[in-house]
Each structure stands twice: as structure tokens, then as C-alpha cells.
Amino acid sequence: MWAVPLGLSLLFVLGVVIWAQRNAHEEREELRRSLISDALSVEAQLRTRLDLEQALLRTLAAQLATAPRSAASLQASPYVSAGFRRLWIGLTWLDARNRIVAHLDNPDMPRDPHLGSEEDAAQPGLSAHLVAPVSTRTDATDGEVAHPHDVNSEKLVARYLPAGLLKRGTPWWITHKYNVRLVDVSEHVLATLEQPDTRWPRRDRTAQQDFTYRVLVGPGLPGTYLELALREPPSSWANNVPLVLVGGFLVLIVWATWLLRQQVRQVLQAESAWRTEAAWRGAMEDSALVGLRARDAQGRLIYVNRTFCEMVGRPADELVGRLPPMPYWPSDALDEAEQRSQRNLAGLAPREGYEAHWVHADGRRVDVMVFESPLVDASGRHIGWMGSMIDITQRKQLEERERHQAEAMAHQARLTTLGEVASALAHQLNQPLTVIASYNSGVLRMLERAGFDNDTVLNALRRQGEQVAEAGRIVQRIRGFLTRRAPQRERCDLPATLHRAVKLLQRDWRHQPVRIDWALPDTLPDVLADPVLIEQVTLNLVRNAIDAGLGAQRQPVQLRIQARAEASLRHVCVCVEDNGPGLQARTIEELTAPFYSTKAEGMGMGLAICRSVIEAHRGKLDAGASSELGGACFRFTLPIWNEP
């Protein structure tokens, strides 16, 4: 025991040394990565600044293409003063033979480069330049732009100091952390922002090369490198080890002394507690894979395992020590749960177990199967009850799901029967509609031949014929849809289709306070759809909205039919809004379920058929309570017709 603290102390010290060395290595690697990242960032800023200056020079050259060839043209351009304010120290206009047409110097710079300011010049007379072609009528034909490398084109040459570029394009925190220089391939320094108080010791000058990085600036400064060198050496890991070692030794010595003192006390306490603990631990181990709880004779919880805590969603600290009623009992069945608990504490729990309903902390219901067994101590005295719980919630849900599936299959069978009946009905209606159309046409021709000139009667017969024809078309399309034939999709004028559907309903509400507002843009594209089926969808939605508003006694009933093109989705969206009572928290899945209806005499098939029609057109039917009129809003989408 005396050797244990010493060995642990040595291991601790060794671990601290390894950690410090590894931490220092990672810090040096991080500094290296940061150096490379900062160098690339500064280089990108310099390149961007050169690109901006080159763009400014090209803009100026384009402006001078039609300007007089004189220094006054240069002086009058605002781009010249902008370039002088930014970076340029001189601007020269050369003709095709490289003769000077005009030249301007930056008025804020000394004319003698040897007298330039220290912040903008690393070496006397050192400068770089940018070139842009000037296209004129003398060196380029109409519509032709001179190439920048064409020796016969005029050009603008802007001179600038690399030191000024380096100073203006380098953030202050970079110069505070690094020595920044511009060097060429011959190691000549073009510009520098190097600080004189570099803190690298002379013996570490070689190590400083590991924290120096160069990157090629780019086409703006060919053959020029940006060099960043770390100004301060990274801290050495060996500087903090002594303090860590001393603190570690002090902690370990105190801990070792306390460990030796507690050792004897723990051995004595463990011997007295082992027998009692081994007895009830053995009972808990028999059902370790299920939820476990131990209760004393009064019903107080004295132990719960992790599975039990997960089952009720509460931590062990909240449960241990609690007396009935328990927080996981259902609030609407507390009396029943209390009676069952008293029965179990009296030893009357069924040996085959019993089902119970609990409530999880998040509010969901949990179904469990509970088994109770006596809990005895080392002397054989009965001290409580040990219970094991099995979560049967998933089994109950599976049984419920199977029941719903059986109901859904029966429901599908009814739908199939209904489809067959509807198909037969459509087939039977087709012949009487044909006969009505024939009789109507015959009566109309007989009246016309007889010279009957009552326009009201004749127009009524013509309208009757049109409506019969329309009814025949509807029956044929519905029959085709019910027999699983694809809709007869064609190029469809959607506004005309919507107006035609609403017109069919106008006679039904002409004596009712109903107002319909239209919001159909003139530029609405045509859609690819079956116009008859789309009329039926619109007619159903409009009739539902009117019935809902009249049933809620809204005065007046207001509807809005609007459409908009969604070019990104290649669809047209149609919205039917009303000022009725709204959806009342019902979802589109519930509203379009077959045989579900909110009307007292409704069959519950209207919206279901509408949804099937829209989905057959590769669209989507949706509903929401976001209408600006205060009621419901039904939306459906149709694909845009494309030119073949």
C-alpha cells in the first residue's frame, strides 16, 4: 500500500511531461497552419487589390478610347484621381510606338523617388506597373478591341510602389504577429513591413525558418513572393512542467494519506454491509434485463434500476424515497392504482403478473406487465417487495395497428364496390343523356322549321342541349377515371376552365348573398390537364366553400379564386379561399379520407375524388387555415404545358 501512492505519483509526472510535450508540438503545428493560412489570406487580399487596380485602369482605358489624346483628357477623368488616392504614383499614356502621349504624376507623392516617404518605399526608386490597352479609331476597326499584348495598340501604364501595396493590403494584426516582406526570385527585398524588435534568440534563428512561409503573389507581380515570418518564438513546454509537477505531487501525497486512512474503515464497513446487500442484490440480478424496483413494507421506493427510470422518464433521485401515489400513475386513475398498490403490499398480487397503465414524464402512455416477489434480508425477514416490469407498449401498438389494418382493408373493399357502382351508374346514365340530347335537338329543329321565333324558348333549348352535352362529357370522363384510364390531358386554358366551372353554379346561389373575387393574371400560362375533370374539382371546392359560409350564416359569403405560376417548380397553383368557419384543426389527410364528410347529408367522396384527380395530373391538393378572408384555403397545382 505504501508503494501504490509513489507509483501513481511517478505515472502522473510522466503523464504530465508527455502531455506538455505533445501539447507544445500541437501548438507549433497549429502556429504553422495558422502561418500558412494567414499567408494565403494576405496574398489573396494583395491579388484582389491588384485586380481592382487593373479593373480601374481598364475602365479608364475604355473611357479614353473616344477622348482626345492629351494630358487634359487624363486629368479630367475621375478614375485618375481615384487611382492616385488608392495606389498609383504615376500614369503614362503610350501610343502604338511606345511614345508618350500624356503623363501624370501623383501630386501627393514627391517627384524624386529618393525623397519618398518611408512607409511607401522599401528601396529608392523601386516600383511596379500595371498595363491596360487603349482602343482607338487609329489602331482598331469598328467592333474590334485591341488585345493587351498587341504591340500596335496604345496602352496606359500605371506605376505604383510595392511597399504601398503591401502596407495597404496587409491587416494590422498580421504585421503585429509576423514580419511581412515581398521578395523576388533572387532574394531581393522589394518591400517589407518587418519590425525591428524581433524576439527570436540568436540560437533559434535556424528554428525560425520553420515558421517562415512564402507564397507566389500572382500575375499582378510576376516572380514575386509574399513572405511571412513569425515574430515571436512559440513557448516551450518545459517552462510549465515544474509547477505542474509540484502541484501534482502535493495533491497525490494528500490523496495517498487519505487513501491509507480510509482503507481500514472501508474494509470494516464492507464486511457488515456485504451480507444484507448480497441478499437483495441476488433477487435483482434474476431480472436484470427488465425494469426493477424495490419497495419496503410501506410501499416506499428504495431502489430502481436504469431500465425502470427510462420506462417512466424520471431520474432515480426523483423516485427513490417516494411513497404512493407515484408520479407515473395516471391522474385519472389514482384511486384504482392506489387500491392495486395496497393489494400488492398485502401479498395478494397475482403470481402470473398483471397489466398496468403508467404515464411517461413526457405525457405518453406506457403499458407494462408487472411481476411482484417478496424481498427478504440476510436473516430471512420479509422487508418489502421486489417488482419486475416488462414494457408491452409496442406489443399493444402492434395489436392496435393490426386492427386498423383490418379496418382499412374492409374500407378498401367498400371503396372498390363504390367504384364499381359509380362506373355502372355512369354507364347507365350515358344512354338517357344521349336520348335527352337527341330529343332536345329534334325539338329545336322542328321549332326552327315551323318558324317559331320566341328567342327565350329557343335559347333555353340551346342551353339545355349544351348542358346535356356537358353532362355527357362529365359522365364519360368520370367513367374513364373510375375504370383507371389516364385522364385525357391536353393544353388547357386554366382561367376559362375556372370561369366555366363557376358559371355552372351561378344559378344555385343567384338568390344568396355570395360574392366571388377573381385574381387571375393575364400572363398565366396554359396547363396540361383534363379540362372536364379540373372543372369538377373547381366546382366541388367552390360549392364546399359556399355551403360552409351559408351554414355558418356568414353575411355575405365571400370567395376569392386566384392563380399564380410557380416557374421554378413548373406548376400553376390555384387557390380557393373563403370567409367561412375554417378547417377547425382538421388536416388535409382527414378531409380527403373516403366517406368522411362535415355535411349532414354528405357522402364524403367529393374531396377524396378531387385529390385523386389532382394526383392523377401529377399535382398536389393541400389545405390550410391561412386565408386572408378568415376562413379556409384549398390549393391545388397543375403542370405547365410545354411546347412540343
Side-chain angles (χ1 to χ4, degrees):
M1 293 299 297
W2 286 102
V4 171
L6 179 61
L8 292 176
S9 300
L10 293 177
L11 290 177
F12 178 79
V13 172
L14 180 61
V16 169
V17 172
I18 295 175
W19 172 81
Q21 185 177 11
R22 184 174 180 179
N23 189 49
H25 176 72
E26 293 178 354
E27 182 181 357
R28 293 172 68 90
E29 290 297 324
E30 181 63 27
L31 287 174
R32 178 69 178 171
R33 290 192 293 269
S34 178
L35 170 65
I36 296 175
S37 177
D38 292 339
L40 294 176
S41 176
V42 174
E43 187 273 334
Q45 295 185 41
L46 295 180
R47 187 171 64 249
T48 301
R49 195 171 188 88
L50 285 176
D51 292 342
L52 291 175
E53 298 298 332
Q54 185 68 47
L56 179 64
L57 190 62
R58 290 195 187 101
T59 303
L60 176 60
Q63 184 185 37
L64 295 176
T66 58
R69 302 169 71 249
S70 64
S73 299
L74 287 179
Q75 190 69 37
S77 176
Y79 296 105
V80 175
S81 57
F84 285 159
R85 286 194 304 270
R86 291 151 63 100
L87 188 65
W88 302 350
I89 62 173
L91 182 65
T92 304
W93 185 353
L94 300 178
D95 62 8
R97 299 182 180 181
N98 290 330
R99 292 176 300 183
I100 296 176
V101 176
H103 174 77
L104 293 178
D105 287 324
N106 190 341
D108 298 331
M109 294 291 294
R111 293 187 177 278
D112 188 357
H114 296 274
L115 300 178
S117 60
E118 295 180 358
E119 64 177 7
D120 288 338
Q123 297 179 3
L126 184 61
S127 64
H129 63 273
L130 302 171
V131 180
V134 179
S135 299
T136 62
R137 290 185 297 270
T138 58
D139 56 9
T141 61
D142 292 342
E144 181 183 359
V145 179
H147 194 275
H149 301 291
D150 189 355
V151 297
N152 294 324
S153 63
E154 297 186 0
K155 48 183 152 308
L156 282 178
V157 179
R159 293 175 54 243
Y160 64 93
L161 296 178
L165 174 66
L166 188 63
K167 178 181 180 298
R168 292 172 175 81
T170 305
W172 65 268
W173 56 271
I174 292 291
T175 58
H176 182 75
K177 187 176 180 181
Y178 304 99
N179 289 330
V180 185
R181 299 192 305 175
L182 288 176
V183 297
D184 59 10
V185 293
S186 301
E187 298 296 328
H188 293 150
V189 178
L190 305 180
T192 179
L193 296 178
E194 188 172 0
Q195 303 293 333
D197 56 342
T198 301
R199 297 178 177 84
W200 282 86
R202 293 184 178 277
R203 64 179 181 276
D204 292 338
R205 292 298 184 181
T206 303
Q208 186 181 8
Q209 299 300 322
D210 295 336
F211 296 92
T212 301
Y213 185 78
R214 288 183 177 181
V215 60
L216 191 64
V217 173
L221 284 172
T224 303
Y225 292 88
L226 173 68
E227 179 184 282
L228 264 66
L230 191 66
R231 296 185 59 222
E232 298 182 3
S235 59
S236 176
W237 63 272
N239 296 336
N240 299 325
V241 171
L243 295 178
V244 176
L245 293 179
V246 172
F249 269 115
L250 292 177
V251 173
L252 287 175
I253 289 173
V254 173
W255 178 78
T257 304
W258 178 82
L259 179 65
L260 291 176
R261 181 182 178 183
Q262 296 294 324
Q263 183 66 32
V264 177
R265 298 178 61 184
Q266 291 179 358
V267 171
L268 296 176
Q269 293 175 359
E271 289 179 354
S272 61
W274 177 77
R275 293 183 181 272
T276 304
E277 185 176 354
W280 61 273
R281 288 291 181 183
M284 290 170 37
E285 292 174 357
D286 293 339
S287 55
L289 299 179
V290 298
L292 298 176
R293 72 178 180 188
R295 299 188 294 172
D296 60 12
Q298 289 74 34
R300 180 184 288 107
L301 289 176
I302 58 177
Y303 174 80
V304 291
N305 68 342
R306 185 178 63 179
T307 303
F308 184 89
C309 295
E310 294 175 351
M311 193 176 297
V312 300
R314 301 178 185 275
D317 297 340
E318 181 181 345
L319 297 174
V320 174
R322 292 288 298 266
L323 283 168
M326 296 303 174
Y328 49 83
W329 288 356
S331 59
D332 55 349
L334 288 178
D335 295 339
E336 179 184 354
E338 181 69 29
Q339 294 176 3
R340 186 169 54 244
S341 177
Q342 294 298 330
R343 180 198 64 185
N344 297 339
L345 292 176
L348 301 178
R351 294 185 58 83
E352 65 275 9
Y354 61 92
E355 292 187 10
H357 305 303
W358 291 350
V359 178
H360 195 271
D362 59 7
R364 60 183 174 88
R365 174 173 170 171
V366 179
D367 298 318
V368 294
M369 177 67 73
V370 183
F371 301 90
E372 298 279 1
S373 61
L375 180 62
V376 297
D377 60 8
S379 60
R381 182 170 58 91
H382 179 255
I383 60 174
W385 297 90
M386 172 62 67
S388 59
M389 280 64 64
I390 301 175
D391 190 348
I392 60 174
T393 305
Q394 292 185 355
R395 190 183 72 184
K396 291 287 187 180
Q397 293 176 351
L398 180 60
E399 294 174 355
E400 185 69 16
R401 190 180 302 114
E402 291 177 352
R403 185 179 65 82
H404 284 300
Q405 288 177 353
E407 293 178 356
M409 292 178 64
H411 191 84
Q412 186 65 31
R414 293 198 302 270
L415 284 179
T416 303
T417 304
L418 179 63
E420 294 175 356
V421 171
S423 179
L425 183 62
H427 176 71
Q428 295 297 329
L429 287 176
N430 189 43
Q431 184 175 358
L433 286 175
T434 304
V435 173
I436 293 172
S438 299
Y439 277 118
N440 184 82
S441 179
V443 170
L444 184 61
R445 285 197 300 269
M446 292 175 61
L447 291 177
E448 290 177 348
R449 290 175 181 175
F452 187 76
D453 58 354
N454 192 328
D455 293 338
T456 302
V457 175
L458 294 177
N459 289 334
L461 290 174
R462 294 188 185 97
R463 291 293 303 277
Q464 178 176 307
E466 293 174 359
Q467 294 300 320
V468 170
E470 180 69 17
R473 290 175 55 206
I474 294 173
V475 168
Q476 291 296 329
R477 294 294 176 89
I478 296 299
R479 182 184 178 190
F481 183 75
L482 291 175
T483 54
R484 296 187 178 181
R485 289 198 296 267
Q488 300 179 10
R489 294 188 295 173
E490 58 190 34
R491 184 176 183 178
C492 177
D493 185 356
L494 186 58
T497 303
L498 298 178
H499 281 285
R500 189 162 53 248
V502 174
K503 187 176 180 180
L504 294 175
L505 287 174
Q506 286 181 346
R507 65 178 180 274
D508 296 337
W509 74 70
R510 60 177 178 266
H511 300 300
Q512 300 291 340
V514 177
R515 189 184 73 185
I516 296 181
D517 297 330
W518 296 87
L520 304 178
D522 297 335
T523 59
L524 195 67
D526 293 339
V527 297
L528 182 62
D530 189 328
V532 176
L533 295 180
I534 299 305
E535 285 179 16
Q536 299 308 307
V537 171
T538 306
L539 187 144
N540 190 284
L541 296 180
V542 173
R543 180 185 288 116
N544 287 346
I546 295 175
D547 292 343
L550 295 176
Q553 297 182 355
R554 298 294 176 92
Q555 299 293 336
V557 177
Q558 184 176 358
L559 278 74
R560 178 187 299 163
I561 302 177
Q562 58 181 348
R564 65 179 182 274
E566 299 178 353
S568 59
L569 301 178
R570 303 295 301 163
H571 280 79
V572 173
C573 180
V574 180
C575 300
V576 179
E577 304 177 63
D578 60 66
N579 64 340
L583 300 182
Q584 299 177 353
R586 290 187 289 265
T587 63
I588 187 63
E589 299 295 336
E590 183 179 1
L591 292 172
T592 57
F595 303 110
Y596 177 85
S597 177
T598 59
K599 302 178 183 179
E601 301 177 356
M603 296 182 57
M605 294 301 298
L607 288 178
I609 295 177
C610 289
R611 184 175 184 179
S612 300
V613 169
I614 295 302
E615 291 179 352
H617 284 78
R618 300 178 183 177
K620 180 180 179 182
L621 178 65
D622 194 9
S626 58
S627 173
E628 297 179 357
L629 302 180
C633 175
F634 281 84
R635 299 177 294 270
F636 64 88
T637 59
L638 295 172
I640 295 177
W641 182 83
N642 295 320
E643 290 286 349

